[in-house]
Amino acid sequence: MKASAAMAFLLLLLFLVLLAAASSAGLTVDSHDSADWKPTDDGRRWRSSTC
């Protein structure tokens, strides 16, 4: 039982290390530009003309 828990922990740790390495190498991309997910036009935030 302890061996399988240790193996699961090591696999999770390996996954996180690989993800961190890919992120530091610039291989990951965030498809959203902010937490509020406002639309953008080629990376430039839209200006709402409410006033």
Side-chain angles (χ1 to χ4, degrees):
M1 191 62 131
K2 289 182 180 181
S4 63
M7 184 61 76
F9 177 74
L10 287 176
L11 286 175
L12 177 64
L13 187 63
L14 177 65
F15 173 74
L16 293 176
V17 167
L18 289 175
L19 189 61
S23 178
S24 66
L27 299 176
T28 59
V29 176
D30 186 7
S31 61
H32 297 99
D33 57 357
S34 65
D36 52 4
W37 299 353
K38 292 181 181 176
T40 59
D41 183 18
D42 196 25
R44 295 195 176 109
R45 195 176 290 272
W46 288 359
R47 299 281 182 194
S48 61
S49 57
T50 56
C51 296

